[in-house]
Each structure stands twice: as C-alpha cells, then as structure tokens.
Amino acid sequence: MKLDTELRYMATELNDTTLLARISGGDIVAIEAKYHIECLVKYKNSYRSAQRAAVSQYSKIDENRCLQALVFAEVVAYIENEVENGTNIFKLSELHMIYENRLQSVGITITVNKTRFKSQLTAHFSDSCQETSDGRNTLLVFNDGFQKLLKDAMANRDIESEAISMAKLVKTIRMDMLDWAEYEFNGKFPPGCQEISVPASLKALVAMLLNGCNVKNQETGLSQPCLTIAQLIFFNMKNRPSQGATERHVKHRQPPLPLFVGLNVHTETRSRKMVNTLYNLGISVSYQCVIDLENSLATTVCKHFEDEGLVCPPILRKGIFTVGAMDNIDHNPSSTSAQGSFHGTGISVFQFPTSSKAGLCRDQLVFDKAHVEHKMHSLPDKYIIVPAVVCKSVELSVPEIKISDVPVDVEATKEENRWIEHAIQLMQKDELQNSDSISWAAYFASRQPETTDPAA
C-alpha cells in the first residue's frame, strides 16, 4: 500500500502520464503489477533529481527578492545608526533614493514605489515612527524614546536571542548554498563567473561583515575580497561533518577561485607538495583534481586538432595576415646521452588583425569532462615521423646548367690583397699596438677619410 501511494505521488509530480495510465486500473498489488528493483531505484532517483532542479529553479527566481530584502535591512540599519547618533528626522525622498541606488549597485534595476516603501518602513518601526510633511517633503520622525530603546538594547545584550537569530540566519544561508549549482567549470573563466558561483545571500552576508551593515558604506558592486571569502566559504562547506581525517569537496561546489589557484600554482611551480598544502588550507582544489583537469583540457585540445586535421592553436583566427617563424631549440647538445640533451624546433605564429579585418573566430573548444583518464597525448604521425630519404648512386642525375663568367672588380681585388699583406706583416710582430688594425673591418675603417661636421 505504501509503495502504491508513493509511486502514484512520484508519477503525478513528474507528470508521467505513461506510468499513470498503466497503474490507473487500481492498486498495483490488485492489478498484479511487476517491476524490477533497479528500475524502481532509477525512478526514485529521477524524482529526486527533478525535486532538486525545482528547488534550484525556485532559488534562482527568488534571488532578486532575497537581495531586495537584504538591501531593505541595510536601510533599516542605516536609520537606526543615525537615530542613535541623534538624527530623528528623515526625508522619505532621500531614503528612497538611497534604497534604489543600493539596489542598482547589487544588479537590480527596478522602479520602487515610494508609497509601498514608506509603508514597509512605518510597518517595521511601528509606534516609534510617525509620518508628517513640511509642505513639500514627506518626513519620517522618530521619537526620543526610540533612541533610548536602541541604546538600552546595545547596553543590555540578550546573548541567547542573538544566538538563536544567528542560527536561523546560518540555516537559511546554508540552504541556499546547498541548493546552489549555477557554475560549472568549462575550461575557462569567463567574466562574471565569480559572481554567479555563490548565492546572493552569502555574498550579502560577507559584504556586511567586511563593510558594516550601513547602506552608505557599501561599495558599488562586490569587491574582490568579498568574492574571495564567499567562494572559499562555499568551497569548504560540508553537508555533514567529515568522518575521516581527509577533507573531501563536492565537485559541483567548486567555484572559480580554488580552481584558478590550483591550476595557476601547479603551472608556475609544478609542485605537488605546494598544491596539496594549499588544498589542506582550504584555498585550492586537490592535486589529483588539478591533474584531472589538465588531462581533460589536453584531451579536448588534441581532439580539436584531430577534428581539424592539423595542429594549430585554438586562439588563432581565420582570414587575417599571419606570419610564422621557426627556429631550433637546443638544450645541452654536448651531452653524451639522449636523456641529457634535447633538440627540437620551435614555431611562433603572429597575426595582424585590423579594424576592417578582425578575422573569424574558429569553433570553440568543447570541454569534455568524460575523458579525464590518465594517458599520454601525442602529435599525429605525420608530425613526428620523418620518412627516410635514400640516395641511389646508380640513378643519380645532375642537370646540366650553363654558368657565365662573372666580371671581376680589379680594384676591389687589389684592396683585398693589400689587407692580406698588411695582416701578414702585423702577425709577424712580437707585440701589437692599439693602433694596429688586423681585422678586415678595422683595416678598411682606418682607411676611410675623416669627416668634419658642419658648423652649427
């Protein structure tokens, strides 16, 4: 009976009309329904996946409402701080402008109804606030008792109530973090990836901790320290306490920062110890994760080479003037073993885009997460295998060409002979002087007539 009710409920939530039609004849026991355990498990898993997707979609839609509520809380904190400092009268137009500007700074561009905003404020402060007008502006006036009430609240803190409020706040933010899955690494870090990788509630909490709960002190947009701390909190959060000594992280909760740190440090140092040290500190992904990502990136690039039929950097564009330069790469050529020396060829490619011809971007690389196995990547055979060339003497044929006599410059030959005789004379001397010109360039330079610069 329990299975029948559960199965019908899941089919209804999934809108699975095919299954509902099959079990519509009555109870599944009465109609002698048969099923496989593996199929039932897969169906339950699909139901749970749909539930998680629905919660995630709801969280995405509800993010703007969460940000609006947090900005309103900042405005309330601003008013309380001003009242505590002796300011009891506020213009509604100024508060409304502060509220809208702060919403725009967090990425929400909406027109806030001033009357509805006033109702929110008066409902929050209830008897402590009165609405009045000076003939031109709507004013919110706070009585002196409210100032005394705020000071008494700060002097007599209720630790238990604050702890309960903190626990509720933490629970709410953890729920947002557990349901958040808006970022997935695809081989690059596009602009804005840090902002979308963590929920808005966590970013707002960190911003308040760093900048204070004051709407006028908040920076335009989120600062890098705020995004850094939020990403590290999101990366190190656990569903439940770890049972073992090794910390483990969920792959779908890997924001850009720990991925960037791990890849960058390994690229610069090639040190496994350094990456694992940062991993243990909660700043980077693990060394194994870095190796898997690099291997997956290499597989993606090699597959791209195979699809195009040539080895060409993916960043190069089509249809613009391109220049290539080749040179040898020799390392320790005098080594007696093949392991200690290296001989290769380096190819540099330069492109010259213009405003009229910017070039066409080639197909984007599709980051393939399925190929993360450890394997060596090599160039195609035509790039690494040089066919043997054999010269057969019996078939050797040299084409006949006619060479005409080249006229000889008699004066130039005489000058060359004079230099040779001069060099031979100098080489027979026991000691050379600074003025002796033995090289070809020095000899002919010394024979050049002196030039005098024209008068200024």
Side-chain angles (χ1 to χ4, degrees), residues 261-274:
V261 171
L263 291 171
N264 194 39
V265 170
H266 186 253
T267 301
E268 295 292 336
T269 65
R270 314 305 295 180
S271 173
R272 176 173 185 168
K273 182 179 179 180
M274 181 69 71

Side-chain angles (χ1 to χ4, degrees), residues 16-17 24 37-38 44 65 92 140 161 163 165-166 202 236 239 248-249 255 257 286 303 330 343 368 375 421 444:
D16 190 350
T17 56
S24 61
I37 297 298
E38 294 181 358
K44 289 183 176 181
R65 293 175 57 188
L92 179 62
L140 297 180
S161 299
S165 300
M166 191 183 303
L202 177 60
N236 291 282
N239 291 353
R248 298 185 180 276
H249 299 273
L257 179 71
S286 64
K303 186 176 183 301
D330 296 307
H343 176 74
D368 193 357
K375 65 178 183 179
E421 294 174 357
F444 283 100

Side-chain angles (χ1 to χ4, degrees), residues 211-251:
N211 305 319
C213 191
N214 191 325
V215 70
K216 281 194 171 182
N217 290 340
Q218 299 289 349
E219 301 177 2
T220 302
L222 294 171
S223 62
Q224 185 57 52
C226 174
L227 293 173
T228 299
I229 296 173
Q231 290 179 83
L232 292 180
I233 293 174
F234 185 73
F235 175 63
N236 291 282
M237 190 200 68
K238 303 291 188 297
N239 291 353
R240 57 184 65 88
S242 301
Q243 302 295 330
T246 305
E247 293 288 339
R248 298 185 180 276
H249 299 273
V250 184
K251 285 191 175 181

Side-chain angles (χ1 to χ4, degrees), residues 6 64 73 115 180 192 256 277 279 313 328 400:
E6 184 180 3
N64 286 348
T115 303
W180 195 261
T277 300
Y279 171 72
N328 292 332
E400 181 181 358

Side-chain angles (χ1 to χ4, degrees), residues 212-414:
C213 191
N214 191 325
V215 70
K216 281 194 171 182
N217 290 340
Q218 299 289 349
E219 301 177 2
T220 302
L222 294 171
S223 62
Q224 185 57 52
C226 174
L227 293 173
T228 299
I229 296 173
Q231 290 179 83
L232 292 180
I233 293 174
F234 185 73
F235 175 63
N236 291 282
M237 190 200 68
K238 303 291 188 297
N239 291 353
R240 57 184 65 88
S242 301
Q243 302 295 330
T246 305
E247 293 288 339
R248 298 185 180 276
H249 299 273
V250 184
K251 285 191 175 181
H252 68 267
R253 281 202 299 271
Q254 289 180 345
L257 179 71
L259 292 170
F260 173 78
V261 171
L263 291 171
N264 194 39
V265 170
H266 186 253
T267 301
E268 295 292 336
T269 65
R270 314 305 295 180
S271 173
R272 176 173 185 168
K273 182 179 179 180
M274 181 69 71
V275 175
N276 281 334
T277 300
L278 294 174
Y279 171 72
N280 294 330
L281 293 174
I283 302 175
S284 165
V285 294
S286 64
Y287 176 79
Q288 186 60 50
C289 180
V290 171
I291 296 301
D292 290 343
L293 287 174
E294 291 178 348
N295 191 70
S296 185
L297 287 170
T299 302
T300 303
V301 174
C302 289
K303 186 176 183 301
H304 187 72
F305 292 160
E306 294 174 358
D307 295 339
E308 289 190 335
L310 76 160
V311 177
C312 183
I315 197 174
L316 293 183
R317 298 185 178 186
K318 297 179 179 179
I320 57 177
F321 183 64
T322 305
V323 175
M326 300 179 62
D327 197 2
N328 292 332
I329 301 176
D330 296 307
H331 173 71
N332 195 14
S334 61
S335 174
T336 57
S337 64
Q339 295 180 351
S341 63
F342 174 79
H343 176 74
T345 303
I347 304 175
S348 300
V349 181
F350 307 91
Q351 291 192 317
F352 301 89
T354 61
S355 57
S356 59
K357 284 189 175 182
L360 299 176
C361 294
R362 295 154 63 206
D363 296 337
Q364 294 292 329
L365 294 178
V366 180
F367 187 64
D368 193 357
K369 284 191 172 183
H371 297 82
V372 294
E373 69 275 6
H374 298 278
K375 65 178 183 179
M376 297 298 294
H377 303 282
S378 59
L379 293 172
D381 292 343
K382 62 181 180 180
Y383 283 86
I384 59 178
I385 297 178
V386 180
V389 178
V390 180
C391 181
K392 298 181 179 180
S393 58
V394 294
E395 299 178 0
L396 184 62
S397 175
V398 180
E400 181 181 358
I401 59 174
K402 294 182 179 181
I403 302 176
S404 58
D405 295 335
V406 178
V408 178
D409 190 345
V410 179
E411 289 298 326
T413 304
K414 291 180 179 180

Side-chain angles (χ1 to χ4, degrees), residues 118-245:
K118 179 190 67 176
S119 301
Q120 283 182 283
L121 290 176
T122 54
H124 176 78
F125 292 108
S126 62
D127 297 336
S128 302
C129 174
Q130 294 181 356
E131 177 188 352
T132 185
S133 175
D134 62 355
R136 296 179 57 188
N137 301 307
T138 302
L139 303 177
L140 297 180
V141 182
F142 293 83
N143 53 44
D144 297 335
F146 183 60
Q147 181 181 6
K148 183 176 181 301
L149 182 63
L150 290 175
K151 291 183 177 180
D152 292 342
M154 292 300 297
N156 303 316
R157 295 178 58 186
D158 189 352
I159 306 298
E160 288 77 10
S161 299
E162 292 179 358
I164 293 174
S165 300
M166 191 183 303
K168 291 180 180 179
L169 174 64
V170 170
K171 181 179 179 181
T172 303
I173 295 179
R174 278 182 59 84
M175 289 177 60
D176 293 342
M177 294 167 66
L178 290 173
D179 295 334
W180 195 261
E182 298 297 322
Y183 174 77
E184 186 176 5
F185 182 66
N186 59 355
K188 55 185 177 180
F189 300 104
C193 63
Q194 296 186 92
E195 287 79 358
I196 66 172
S197 63
V198 291
S201 56
L202 177 60
K203 292 183 290 187
L205 175 64
V206 175
M208 288 183 182
L209 289 173
L210 295 181
N211 305 319
C213 191
N214 191 325
V215 70
K216 281 194 171 182
N217 290 340
Q218 299 289 349
E219 301 177 2
T220 302
L222 294 171
S223 62
Q224 185 57 52
C226 174
L227 293 173
T228 299
I229 296 173
Q231 290 179 83
L232 292 180
I233 293 174
F234 185 73
F235 175 63
N236 291 282
M237 190 200 68
K238 303 291 188 297
N239 291 353
R240 57 184 65 88
S242 301
Q243 302 295 330

